[in-house]
């Protein structure tokens, strides 16, 4: 699928929130048959944060992004909350977050698993192209509620957190040059969580397909942007496993040093992971005006999504 209708919108600001409770690999050694060394070698994770509700984490991240943008919350036209761990089946957790933030606007949840934030970013650009001025997008998760803490193949990976961005209309062409969203429903059984169940995963199948899906989404969005991989200054990948990111970068011909990685301290926070890594790069001085940034994720579904933007935010 291709599109030439790239909108005049830009990411203005980002904000994040993490729960206070830290769960280290040493803590997990007390819970399941694992070791700090195994977890670090196989995933790159040293510790993760757990606790809170999806709506509280989302609201904290959203508030941070709004404050950093210095905008009046009343000017936000729409809230899109990417989450795979909503507080309730009904209503959408976005409505709870809207109330917490005191917004007067449309609000909806979007579930594209770990690709959700990039899906939301693309959707926000589309809504702005159709007339909205500002859209708040948030990726927020409390995966700890869906984790089987007796299953060492999954409990070492998943965690909680939130990240948000204010996306606003611009006069020019905007920051989004290329994007791609995808799903391969035939892989549903490789990673799922039933209602009232816990996450079940075929780790190796996900690993193999994740590398290919990230490469495919990145290549398609680069092609739409008419850019080559060496024009990318920063890669902000979904934080599922350091080795998946290394393998994807290698296939794309992008040096791993160009990635923003927070997985060592956050674990896999699904739709929150890309904004968490983007904010980390921004606060670390690695995001400059005019930088070309590749956001790329994959997740259950199996979904994948990528966006190529040129940074024009604060
Ligand atoms: N601690 C110690 N040993 C563990 C372990 C743990 N937490 N989990 C599994 N093992 C064992 C396995 O039982 C297996 O033992 P065996 O060789 O005696 O059978 C061995 O370690 C290797 O397991 P394997 O599954 O081959 O490891 P891996 O290198 O594939 O790493 C994952 C496992 C889960 C880290 C990796 O497959 C992965 O990250 N997959 C993608 C998951 C993902 O990204 N999910 C989210 C998508 S958004």
């Amino acid at each position: 699928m291709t599109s030439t209708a790239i909108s005049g919108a830009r990411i203005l600001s980002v904000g994040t929130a993490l729960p206070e409770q830290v769960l280290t690999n040493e803590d997990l050694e007390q819970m399941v048959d694992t070791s700090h060394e195994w977890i670090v070698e196989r995933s790159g994770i040293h510790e993760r944060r757990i606790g809170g509700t999806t709506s509280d984490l989302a609201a904290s991240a959203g508030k941070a992004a709004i404050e950093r943008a210095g905008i009046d919350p009343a000017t936000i036209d729409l809230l899109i909350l990417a989450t795979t761990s909503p507080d309730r089946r009904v209503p959408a957790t976005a409505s709870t977050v809207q109330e917490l933030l005191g917004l007067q606007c449309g609000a909806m949840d979007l579930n594209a698993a770990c690709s959700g934030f990039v899906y939301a970013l693309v959707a926000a650009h589309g809504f702005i192209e159709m007339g909205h001025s500002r859209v708040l997008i948030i990726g927020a998760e409390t995966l700890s509620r869906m984790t089987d803490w007796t299953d060492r193949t999954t409990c070492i990976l998943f965690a909680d957190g939130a990240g948000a961005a204010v996306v606003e209309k611009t006069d020019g062409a905007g920051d989004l040059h290329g994007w791609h969203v995808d799903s391969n429903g035939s892989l549903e059984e490789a990673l799922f969580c039933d209602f009232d169940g816990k996450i079940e995963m075929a780790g190796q199948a996900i690993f193999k397909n994740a590398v290919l899906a990230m490469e495919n989404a990145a290549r398609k969005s680069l092609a739409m942007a008419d850019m080559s991989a060496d024009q990318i200054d920063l890669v902000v990948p979904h934080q599922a496993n350091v080795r998946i990111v290394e393998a994807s970068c290698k296939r794309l011909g992008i040096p791993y040093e160009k990635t923003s990685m927070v997985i060592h301290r956050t674990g896999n926070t699904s739709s929150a992971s890309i904004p968490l890594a983007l904010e980390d790069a921004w606060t670390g001085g690695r995001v400059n005006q005019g930088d070309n940034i590749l956001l790329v994720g994959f997740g259950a579904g199996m979904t994948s999504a990528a966006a190529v933007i040129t940074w024009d935010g604060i």
Side-chain angles (χ1 to χ4, degrees), residues 183-231:
S183 174
N184 178 357
S186 73
L187 295 171
E188 174 172 350
E189 299 303 321
L191 179 54
F192 65 91
C193 180
D194 284 323
F195 286 121
D196 301 323
K198 302 294 181 193
I199 296 170
E200 296 185 41
M201 182 182 77
Q204 289 187 359
I206 291 289
F207 191 110
K208 194 174 67 184
N209 284 287
V211 173
L212 299 176
M214 287 205 5
E215 181 192 3
N216 178 58
R219 283 198 190 285
K220 291 214 163 107
S221 50
L222 281 166
M224 189 192 288
D226 197 20
M227 280 187 201
S228 58
D230 59 10
Q231 287 176 271

Side-chain angles (χ1 to χ4, degrees), residues 240-253:
N241 188 316
V242 165
R243 292 186 297 138
I244 291 175
V245 177
E246 283 173 345
S248 305
C249 284
K250 197 169 172 192
R251 294 177 74 94
L252 287 164

Side-chain angles (χ1 to χ4, degrees), residues 18-32 34 36 39-40 43-51 143-145 147-152 154-160 262-269:
L18 288 170
E20 279 181 19
Q21 188 185 343
V22 178
L23 187 71
T24 65
N25 291 346
E26 288 74 16
D27 294 330
L28 286 168
E29 286 175 355
Q30 310 303 314
M31 298 160 65
V32 290
T34 192
H36 171 69
I39 300 171
V40 171
S43 72
I45 301 169
H46 290 238
E47 62 183 40
R48 70 286 291 145
R49 302 292 188 99
I50 57 166
L143 299 180
S144 62
R145 292 184 298 119
T147 299
D148 177 352
W149 292 103
T150 66
D151 177 4
R152 68 176 183 171
T154 54
C155 75
I156 57 150
L157 297 174
F158 298 109
D160 306 337
V262 293
I263 190 173
H264 54 282
R265 64 180 174 88
T266 64
N268 180 346
T269 57

